[in-house]
């Protein structure tokens, strides 16, 4: 159970770092009109945060179910 919570926290922190890096790098348009942006960081960060939140919610559900079953 602790491993699931560790994975959830790690995914949320890694996703937040990716989103922060994407914001820090920023996007720009060059002289020819092409947009340059770190799209991979945005997608990876959003996916990591979503998976971290889902696994954390799943872990909390399992913990609540075990606690209710033990009572």
């Amino acid at each position: 159970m602790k491993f699931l919570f560790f994975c959830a926290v790690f995914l949320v922190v890694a996703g937040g770092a990716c989103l922060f890096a994407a914001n820090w790098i920023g996007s720009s348009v060059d002289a020819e009109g092409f947009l340059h942006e770190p799209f991979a960081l945005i997608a990876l960060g959003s996916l990591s945060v979503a998976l971290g939140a889902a696994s954390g919610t799943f872990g909390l559900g399992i913990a609540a179910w075990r606690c209710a079953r033990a009572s």
Side-chain angles (χ1 to χ4, degrees), residues 1-27:
M1 186 58 68
K2 290 181 184 179
F3 180 72
L4 185 63
F5 287 125
F6 174 75
C7 288
V9 170
F10 177 76
L11 283 170
V12 169
V13 169
C18 285
L19 292 174
F20 175 76
N23 191 24
W24 185 53
I25 293 170
S27 60

Side-chain angles (χ1 to χ4, degrees), residues 3-71:
F3 180 72
L4 185 63
F5 287 125
F6 174 75
C7 288
V9 170
F10 177 76
L11 283 170
V12 169
V13 169
C18 285
L19 292 174
F20 175 76
N23 191 24
W24 185 53
I25 293 170
S27 60
S28 61
V29 179
D30 64 4
E32 296 178 6
F34 287 106
L35 176 65
H36 297 281
E37 65 178 352
F39 182 73
L41 287 176
I42 297 169
L44 185 63
S46 300
L47 183 64
S48 294
V49 169
L51 285 175
S55 63
T57 303
F58 182 69
L60 285 174
I62 289 174
W65 181 69
R66 285 183 181 176
C67 184
R69 191 178 64 154
S71 298

